[in-house]
Amino acid sequence: MPEPPPDREFLLSIFLMEAWDTVSILEEGAPGLSSGGDVEPLLVVAHRLRGAAALHGFPGVAAEATAIEDMLERAAAAGAAERADIAVALGHAVTRLRDGLDRASAGD
């Protein structure tokens, strides 16, 4: 007998919990970009969020995560001045990401 499909609400709650963890990691890591902080951990969580958001049907969140991932890839090869600019842009992107997750949490 086939197993019933997974509970959508349960999967959504796991996605949102992990997505909010990603927001925290990005918020904590963004200021460090200016001073040459490690980009790789931020890039990994942005990539994971992109895939999970797409899988769970949140194209806006996936698009913002893609933009963040692109910023972080540029930051990896950037000089100090450009990294500072990227850190500011990342802060704004994380705010938009936070807004998207708020809407997802509300069921919008």
Side-chain angles (χ1 to χ4, degrees), residues 46-98:
H47 181 76
R48 284 184 192 156
L49 179 59
R50 179 184 73 171
L55 179 68
H56 289 284
F58 296 103
V61 172
E64 197 62 58
T66 299
I68 289 170
E69 191 176 4
D70 291 345
M71 281 182 224
L72 292 168
E73 286 173 348
R74 285 193 326 271
E82 187 178 0
R83 281 176 73 110
D85 291 342
I86 292 170
V88 170
L90 179 59
H92 295 302
V94 170
T95 297
R96 290 188 302 273
L97 181 60
R98 180 181 285 282

Side-chain angles (χ1 to χ4, degrees), residues 3-4 11 15-16 18 35 52 59 64 68-69 74 77 80 93 101 106:
E3 291 190 21
L11 293 175
F15 163 72
L16 289 170
E18 291 176 356
S35 61
E64 197 62 58
I68 289 170
E69 191 176 4
R74 285 193 326 271
L101 290 175

Side-chain angles (χ1 to χ4, degrees), residues 25-26 29-30 33 38-47 68 72 90:
I25 292 166
L26 292 170
L33 288 180
D38 190 9
V39 174
E40 190 67 25
L42 304 177
L43 192 54
V44 168
V45 296
H47 181 76
I68 289 170
L72 292 168
L90 179 59

